[in-house]
Amino acid sequence: MVDIPKELTHTGHHPRMAVVWSVLSAEIERFAAGTGATLRILDVGGGSGGFAVPLAELGHDVTVVEPSANALASLRQRAADAGVTDRVRAVQADADELPDVAEPGTADLVLCHSVLEMVDYPDIALDALRRVCAPGGGVSILVANRIAAVLGKALAGNFPAALDLLTHVDGVIAARDTIKRRFETATLTALVGGSGLVTEQVHGVGVVGDLLPAAAAKGEAGTDALREFELATAARVPFRDMATHIHLLARKPMR
């Protein structure tokens, strides 16, 4: 994994997200290839700009598609505070409206983080992501992991809930869950492949970060140690497949 630009390592970023930032940094380096080219980035469900604003600070043009007016208001304020208003565009729309608000084949990098868990038809959403992505462009997908949810409930002693998560077809606790589905590595890669995108990398995000007591990563030294551990285990099985979230980088074929 590549080094993370210093703009992306400040204390506002949780150490577990270092994995995602490292992958995105490598993708940006691949695209620029020493030329310093500006990427056209589309952040679907980008909320208040946790990814969009730092990417704009690196000099890239980012469009955030987000259904929440409140989140978009926070995004605009964050962009203004960072001095990148001219590089951040806010569009109020749902993920399934993506074809109506984004031109096909125009995004060099598409982010879809914590969205596929919430939409009614993830296969349709992925098809829309593929269409708006430029040929050869990357698609960054972050989803909740069923295995981590099962282990979390079991370690807390809630075995009925753990069994529900394990056996339910969508990896949820029926009628009581806040999301519509959780994924496993195999189900996610199969879904992505069915959309016509090609999976290049799969990493676990939050291998232990969400299981630790707050004191375990206290202070700068503890935070740095946790970040280093997350980066070291993110791609290693079985750690990868036990993480709270699964991060996948896919690519749209050139033809």
Side-chain angles (χ1 to χ4, degrees):
M1 305 188 86
V2 303
D3 291 335
I4 306 168
K6 63 181 181 180
E7 294 90 339
L8 307 180
T9 58
H10 60 71
T11 56
H13 298 297
H14 194 283
R16 68 175 182 167
M17 284 300 163
V19 175
V20 179
W21 282 119
S22 180
V23 173
L24 295 181
S25 296
E27 181 64 12
I28 290 169
E29 285 187 10
R30 184 202 69 82
F31 180 89
T35 66
T38 297
L39 272 74
R40 299 164 297 175
I41 300 174
L42 182 64
D43 190 353
V44 181
S48 61
F51 280 89
V53 171
L55 288 168
E57 288 182 283
L58 292 176
H60 305 291
D61 296 321
V62 188
T63 296
V64 176
V65 178
E66 164 62 44
S68 168
N70 289 337
L72 290 178
S74 297
L75 165 68
R76 294 186 183 97
Q77 185 60 58
R78 180 180 282 185
D81 292 343
V84 294
T85 301
D86 59 331
R87 290 198 290 272
V88 176
R89 175 173 171 249
V91 178
Q92 186 172 3
D94 290 314
D96 58 7
E97 298 176 291
L98 192 56
D100 300 325
V101 299
E103 291 293 326
T106 57
D108 303 306
L109 176 62
V110 181
L111 311 186
C112 182
H113 297 168
S114 301
V115 172
L116 297 183
E117 300 97 321
M118 306 302 299
V119 298
D120 290 327
Y121 303 104
D123 55 337
I124 293 177
L126 278 167
D127 181 67
L129 298 179
R130 178 188 56 78
R131 282 187 283 155
V132 299
C133 187
V139 180
S140 172
I141 298 169
L142 185 70
V143 298
N145 184 4
R146 179 211 294 258
I147 301 303
V150 171
L151 286 175
K153 292 296 184 184
L155 290 172
N158 191 346
F159 298 110
L163 283 172
D164 285 346
L165 289 166
L166 182 65
T167 58
H168 192 284
V169 64
D170 289 320
V172 296
I173 302 174
R176 292 195 289 127
D177 226 313
T178 58
I179 62 177
K180 296 183 177 181
R181 67 189 61 80
R182 292 179 178 85
F183 295 86
E184 297 179 29
T185 301
T187 59
L188 179 61
T189 53
L191 187 66
V192 169
S195 74
L197 295 168
V198 179
T199 297
E200 288 191 352
Q201 300 179 49
V202 180
H203 293 95
V205 176
V207 174
V208 297
D210 291 332
L211 300 175
L212 294 172
K218 189 175 181 179
E220 184 176 349
T223 298
D224 289 345
L226 176 57
R227 181 182 292 110
E228 183 178 353
F229 181 84
E230 291 287 344
L231 288 168
T233 56
R236 296 187 63 172
V237 177
F239 304 105
R240 181 196 72 182
D241 299 325
M242 297 166 57
T244 305
H245 289 80
I246 304 167
H247 181 249
L248 182 150
L249 182 70
R251 195 163 308 284
K252 182 176 179 176
M254 292 297 296
R255 49 180 298 182

